[in-house]
Amino acid sequence: MSVLVGFDTRLVVQGMSGSAGAFHAKQMVEYGTKVVAGVTPGKGGSKVAGLEQVPLYDTVEEAVRLAHANTTVIYVPPPYAADAILEAAAAGIETIVCITEGIPARDMIKVKYVLDNDYPGVVLVGPNCPGVITPGQCKVGIMPGYIHKPGGVGVVSRSGTLTYEVVGQLTKLGLGQSTAIGIGGDPVKGTDFIDALAWFANDPGTSSIFMIGEIGGDSEERAAQFIADHIDKPVAAFIGGQTAPPGKRMGHAGAIISGGKGAASDKIAALKAANIAVAQTPAEMGSTLAKVLASASVSA
Amino acid sequence: MKIHEYQGKQLFRKYGVPVPVGIAAMSAEEALAAIPKVQQQSGSEVVVVKAQIHAGGRGKGGGVKVAKTKADAEEAVKKIFGMQLVTPQTGPEGKKVQRLLVEQGLAIEHEYYLGMLLDRATGRNTVMASREGGMDIEEVAEKHPEKIIRMSINPATGWQDYQSRELAKALGITGKVANEFAAFMRPLTRAYDELDMSLLEINPMITTKDGKVLALDAKINFDDNAMFRHPELEELRDPNEEDPSEQEAKKWDLSYIALDGNIGCMVNGAGLAMSTMDIINFYGGSPANFLDVGGGATAEKVTAAFKIITSDPGVKAIFVNIFGGIMKCDTIAEGVIKAVKETGLKQPLVVRLEGTNVDLGKKMLAESGLNITAAADMADGAQKVVKAAKEQR
Ligand SMILES: Nc1ncnc2c1ncn2[C@@H]1O[C@H](COP(=O)(O)OP(=O)(O)OP(=O)(O)O)[C@@H](O)[C@H]1O
Ligand SMILES: [Mg+2]
């Protein structure tokens, strides 16, 4: 079992003829992902080198109608990415994974508003994220596939490369992953910790969870509360940026809106208060979860 | 991107947001010449001399002077121009004042706080306001959070007049002045949206004895991701406010922040970069910088990044920590080798490579003949680089 992506995923790659899109489309095909179509406006009908077996269309609508795509991954440059997300939702895609980094906040505010109101059933992961992988089944994004291994740990992370770090550590310890979700670090995004945690809670294939947060915002604090209230599975966590110097500030609004939340110490305290084991260094993420699992099996 | 108060007020004027009469000066002479002009244009004797730096709390640090006479104003100009202004937001070293705003002094009836920014929790822009505006707003926010009013902006409609009326009521702005307030908010919220601001703060927004509403301060940040839509705003950048290495990094679209330590870091991904700093600290070292080379970096970009790190004279050892995804390890290797060939390598270099094309990357480094210490993982690399930095002293 898994969440979001798996054997049923039929993937369309938006921006497949670009260099990042083409490179990662090939990697996804190699991993075993069913890449059923590519979309690049104006290039429909042509071929992408190395991906000759994948039809290229002008629109996502064609990818859905002709190739039965149900999931998209977006490698479109920032100025056009918001449009690409909305096109996918309008075409009936159920799961949208947006890799693009650097989308203006104003664009994402509108995208989020439209998705929430007009397409409540559509899941957006990202933007500015590494994607989603269900090891052994399906990889949607840019993560290196070979570090993963099928298993029971659900991973959710705000940071791309730290996700690889924890997955690499877990795999070395023999702890495979059910699904790893990079939710991305942008201020306005689709899936947040709480969404992913709820999916993992309901997924019979997920037996424990690792969560990676970062300084800033208060979604880790809210996630800690959610875990305390709703999740029985073992959870371990890490917060990046514990020694980051306070940014050079201008004005007071940032301090006022966060209401004193957002520092690594606040987040760690909130997690510990919810009985979640927090790794002390990024090198100990995997071993921290392993310890939690060992003590859980002793007491069970 | 941040801009100065006087630049913010110029934008306000363009949009029709009321601001005092004012002239910006790039030298003390210009500022002295501006005093009589401001007095004449505003028809009032009182002028305010304001230091223009990218930090708040200037009033508290002695960077804002209300002068009742021309002589007082001249004295203030001489005192403030060129001073090293220290405020709670500049750090102890302060910032050198190289620009001044000479402005009409207004008869303030009341000072309010007004801020706009994105609320991550709701994914919407939020207006925050308080009757307790002025220089102690953070204290108010901490001790009396109930005195800060927040109103969210609907992405479909934008800010509405009824919200201005509600907000006016909550702030105790009544009668005709409430209409002035609505007229103030309309262009302000439009400017925030159209110019892709990520922060807009007016502290204080004031009401005057004759019933006007004006912005006396303007702190504006623009969303860096949206700058491609506003090439004209690039001109407002003040290079004096930016660290030269940070500027060079910006040219290459690298995210770099100079720090005080002695271990140079090159990492991909902000989260891993921050955690690399965490683990260096954990093992008793101290990072010289934060540097995220980002996802789609080319070998040229990696070379530029490496040169920025090695140009910092405080760097005693270098840690390259890469877990490739979109970033390929062979690209990193190519960039590092090129940089070292061009500039030489004076410091010990510890490299940890993992992820996309890792074997190729490792092979390239091994065959380059460079003196590189390979690290098995992040902890190993951090320990090795901390040790190397200590031995260099
Ligand atoms: N044009 C003006 N006329 C009269 N008083 C003024 C004027 N400009 C500023 N002041 C006074 O000086 C104070 C400080 O000025 P301002 O808010 O611009 O600087 P600041 O200290 O950097 O602000 P902050 O603390 O919000 O960062 C204001 O609160 C106001 O009382
Ligand atoms: Mg102020």
Side-chain angles (χ1 to χ4, degrees), chain B residues 63-76:
Chain B
V64 177
K65 178 84 183 115
V66 181
K68 295 231 163 61
T69 65
K70 186 162 174 259
D72 281 359
E74 287 171 353
E75 203 189 304

Side-chain angles (χ1 to χ4, degrees), chain B residues 203-204 217 219:
Chain B
N203 183 32
D217 192 4
K219 291 191 169 58

Side-chain angles (χ1 to χ4, degrees), chain B residues 312-327:
Chain B
D312 176 349
V315 169
K316 295 273 184 279
I318 300 169
F319 185 24
V320 174
N321 184 20
I322 302 294
F323 210 130
I326 207 161
M327 179 84 238

Side-chain angles (χ1 to χ4, degrees), chain A residues 251-252, chain B residues 5 9 20 48 50 55-60 64 66 89 103-106 108 111 134-135 137 201 203-204 216-217 219:
Chain A
H252 312 280
Chain B
E5 171 192 8
K9 284 179 170 169
V48 185
K50 306 181 79 173
R58 294 165 302 162
K60 286 189 172 168
V64 177
V66 181
Q89 295 185 6
E103 188 172 77
Q104 161 190 22
L106 284 156
I108 299 172
E111 299 197 6
M135 295 195 284
I137 186 66
E201 191 174 67
N203 183 32
L216 275 210
D217 192 4
K219 291 191 169 58

Side-chain angles (χ1 to χ4, degrees), chain A residues 220-221 223-229 235 237 264-278:
Chain A
E220 289 81 1
E221 283 89 336
Q225 190 58 49
F226 182 84
I227 293 167
D229 295 342
V235 183
S265 54
D266 300 321
K267 294 178 187 296
I268 292 170
L271 291 164
K272 287 193 171 157
N275 258 326
I276 299 160
V278 182

